[in-house]
Amino acid sequence: MMFAPGRTVLYRNIDGPRLASVRPCRVISDDERGLLLWLARGSAVVLEMATDGRGIRDMPFAEWIGLSHHVVPATWQGPSLLKFIPRDADHSVWFFRDDEDRFKNWYVNLEERALRWDDGHLAGVDVIDQDLDIVVRPDRTWEWKDEDEFTERLAFPGHYWVHDEAAVRAEGLRVVKAIEAGEFPFDGTWTDFRPDPSWPVLTLVPEGWDRPPVPRP
């Protein structure tokens, strides 16, 4: 299943059986290396929140799992960024930019690999975010991110969607080797990317965003 450049594809994060977030992105390329997406600042998104209006990061995980949740419309407030999803890998690489739209840093999002779907009128990729991340500076020095959240949530195996801590860390260390060696995509590829200024910002999440998640093997 390949996605044509310019097509809208939904990047959906699944937490257990629920949708945690939906982000409509534009396909830049899709080839043997993987899928490259563009998420523009100001894009409409959908986020899971507790019914009292707080997000998962606004409270201890022990409290979050005891609350009711729903999804609400929101706007992507972060910088515009590229998301590269390699084929057959349990991570994606995000290219963050500063307020002047210049490359700032890479961000390795450790996630259970993307499963594609295509309903004809709409397509997407479903991932399971594994919380542990790696921040990579332009000089390719790096550091772990969100280790505290990862460790906290692992203490609740009946509720947490990550079931193999060792596998997550092993994937991260595998990516670290590529970072330190300056291998693709940490070799400068796409750091000078510039979006077409005529591209409209997606201000509505397309209908069909809430389809059931793709079953995992």
Side-chain angles (χ1 to χ4, degrees), residues 26-213:
R26 179 182 294 271
V27 175
I28 304 303
S29 63
D30 191 12
D31 54 34
E32 68 280 354
R33 297 175 299 181
L35 175 63
L36 185 65
L37 301 174
W38 173 251
L39 175 62
R41 186 195 295 268
S43 295
V45 297
V46 175
L47 298 175
E48 182 184 36
M49 306 286 287
T51 50
D52 64 6
R54 291 181 295 162
I56 189 171
R57 289 187 162 179
D58 297 328
M59 67 189 81
F61 191 61
E63 183 178 357
W64 173 262
I65 61 180
L67 298 177
S68 297
H69 310 94
H70 61 171
V71 291
V72 297
T75 301
W76 177 251
Q77 300 291 345
S80 301
L81 56 87
L82 288 169
K83 293 189 177 195
F84 174 61
I85 306 173
R87 292 193 175 275
D88 301 322
D90 291 312
H91 70 276
S92 60
V93 180
W94 303 3
F95 293 64
F96 276 95
R97 307 160 83 86
D98 63 19
D99 289 336
E100 281 71 49
D101 209 27
R102 299 170 302 193
F103 173 72
K104 182 180 180 182
N105 65 273
W106 295 281
Y107 185 97
V108 179
N109 200 65
L110 295 171
E111 59 194 29
E112 197 166 330
R113 67 191 54 193
L115 299 181
R116 300 182 179 215
W117 52 270
D118 190 342
D119 293 337
H121 69 290
L122 188 62
V125 292
D126 288 357
V127 306
I128 297 176
D129 194 329
Q130 297 173 317
D131 293 321
L132 188 63
D133 304 307
I134 306 170
V135 176
V136 187
R137 303 175 188 89
D139 63 1
R140 291 192 292 276
T141 57
W142 60 273
E143 63 183 343
W144 295 108
K145 184 178 181 292
D146 297 333
E147 279 193 286
D148 52 346
E149 291 182 2
F150 185 59
T151 301
E152 176 197 17
R153 296 171 187 181
L154 284 167
F156 299 87
H159 299 275
Y160 194 29
W161 43 90
V162 175
H163 304 293
D164 192 338
E165 176 185 2
V168 175
R169 292 190 180 276
E171 178 75 0
L173 292 173
R174 188 182 71 79
V175 179
V176 163
K177 290 182 180 179
I179 294 168
E180 294 179 338
E183 297 175 358
F184 174 83
F186 306 102
D187 58 354
T189 301
W190 299 319
T191 56
D192 60 350
F193 175 82
R194 291 291 183 271
D196 186 328
S198 69
W199 289 348
V201 175
L202 299 172
T203 56
L204 290 174
V205 179
E207 289 188 20
W209 62 265
D210 55 350
R211 73 177 319 268

